[in-house]
Amino acid sequence: MECSGIILIAINLVFMIIGLAVLIMGIVFKVNFEPIKDAFVEQSDKTDFNLEAAGSTLALGLIILGVFIVLVALLGCSGACCKSKILLVVYAIIVMILLIAEIAVVAVALVKGKDAENKLKEGLADSLEKYHENGDDALSKAFNAIWSTFECCGIDSYTDFKNGNITGFKFDSKNPQENIPVGCCKNVNYEAAPNINFTQYQDCLNGPTKDNAYLTGCYSDLKNTITHYSTVSIGVGIFIFVVEIIVIVAAFIICSRRNDYD
């Protein structure tokens, strides 16, 4: 029983740290996602998967999950330290419900994950049709932010714009030799795009190179980022799953020693 109590307290302290980490990750993700979220506009007539809403929901979900984990961990520590059977039973029930919910979330993620990946490229292409390189609208600013943040240009490559791979896109400058949007040039302040001086970046616009412009496509970079975080999430999820089973068992072991409690 004493060993179970020590394990329960130690694990919940770790859980509290994990909860704080998840909370911070959610806040950071939300802050970083805000400038680019408008690039993932909803194409309700073409897809049933809203990428813009998915990103915002994920950030909010991480924040709520972080707070929840911290509170549950605090409940477990309090139950073990104060030797309260009521707190421990409530704690064990909450963890079991959380365990079932996590299994359901994993199942949904496995089903919808591939769909999200398939719709990512389609969503970017549809959104770029409304992009203006010197536009002041939210969508244009979002794409300029994506290119600056991920250091990429276009969908598959920077040549998407000049080759006409993006239907409906037109360059805003009157330069017929322009090959890429000015937002794909390095050292461009994308927040000042509406007032940008195109002549200042003529070398980049007319002859983009790896020294003055971003040349790789954004789809592969975004996909790799999603894959990286998915792999990390799976590893963390397995660890949490095992730990939750341990704390449930520990809580019930302590509760079974009724003579030691009020």
Side-chain angles (χ1 to χ4, degrees):
M1 186 196 68
E2 293 298 329
C3 182
S4 296
I6 294 173
I7 291 175
L8 193 59
I9 293 173
I11 289 179
N12 277 286
L13 288 175
V14 174
F15 257 108
M16 197 172 297
I17 296 173
I18 292 175
L20 291 173
V22 172
L23 174 62
I24 294 172
M25 184 169 63
I27 294 173
V28 171
F29 184 84
K30 184 171 181 60
V31 171
N32 290 336
F33 186 73
E34 283 296 318
I36 67 175
K37 71 181 180 66
D38 291 294
F40 304 104
V41 296
E42 179 182 9
Q43 301 291 327
S44 56
D45 58 333
K46 299 180 181 180
T47 176
D48 59 353
F49 194 90
N50 186 350
L51 291 169
E52 178 184 358
S56 299
T57 302
L58 176 60
L60 181 61
L62 288 173
I63 293 173
I64 295 175
L65 178 61
V67 173
F68 180 74
I69 291 175
V70 170
L71 293 177
V72 172
L74 184 61
L75 180 64
C77 284
S78 300
C81 292
C82 300
K83 297 182 179 181
S84 171
K85 292 174 63 177
I86 295 178
L87 291 180
L88 287 172
V89 170
V90 172
Y91 168 77
I93 292 174
I94 291 176
V95 174
M96 283 192 291
I97 295 174
L98 183 61
L99 192 63
I100 295 172
E102 287 172 356
I103 295 174
V105 169
V106 169
V108 173
L110 290 175
V111 174
K112 291 292 187 179
K114 191 64 178 179
D115 185 40
E117 183 179 306
N118 293 336
K119 297 300 181 182
L120 176 60
K121 191 171 186 178
E122 179 183 340
L124 288 172
D126 292 338
S127 300
L128 272 174
E129 295 180 8
K130 305 177 183 66
Y131 168 77
H132 298 283
E133 55 184 330
N134 64 343
D136 194 28
D137 58 290
L139 185 141
S140 298
K141 288 182 177 180
F143 270 109
N144 286 331
I146 287 177
W147 294 328
S148 177
T149 301
F150 291 92
E151 297 185 353
C152 58
C153 183
I155 300 175
D156 293 314
S157 170
Y158 74 99
T159 59
D160 288 340
F161 299 99
K162 194 65 175 180
N163 293 342
N165 294 342
I166 303 173
T167 305
F169 172 78
K170 294 181 180 179
F171 289 105
D172 292 323
S173 72
K174 298 180 180 179
N175 179 10
Q177 296 180 332
E178 185 173 349
N179 290 288
I180 60 174
V182 68
C184 290
C185 294
K186 293 182 178 180
N187 301 319
V188 170
N189 181 8
Y190 65 87
E191 295 181 349
N195 302 315
I196 204 161
N197 182 7
F198 284 90
T199 58
Q200 183 179 351
Y201 302 98
Q202 284 301 309
D203 291 340
C204 169
L205 298 175
N206 297 344
T209 66
K210 64 179 181 179
D211 294 324
N212 58 22
Y214 306 123
L215 305 181
T216 58
C218 292
Y219 173 69
S220 59
D221 287 344
L222 290 172
K223 183 179 177 181
N224 291 337
T225 300
I226 293 173
T227 301
H228 170 72
Y229 283 109
S230 297
T231 303
V232 173
S233 299
I234 291 172
V236 173
I238 294 174
F239 170 76
I240 293 177
F241 184 86
V242 173
V243 171
E244 283 175 339
I245 294 177
I246 294 175
V247 297
I248 291 173
V249 173
F252 280 117
I253 288 176
I254 297 174
C255 288
S256 66
R257 303 295 298 273
R258 297 184 178 183
N259 294 333
D260 295 323
Y261 296 90
D262 296 331

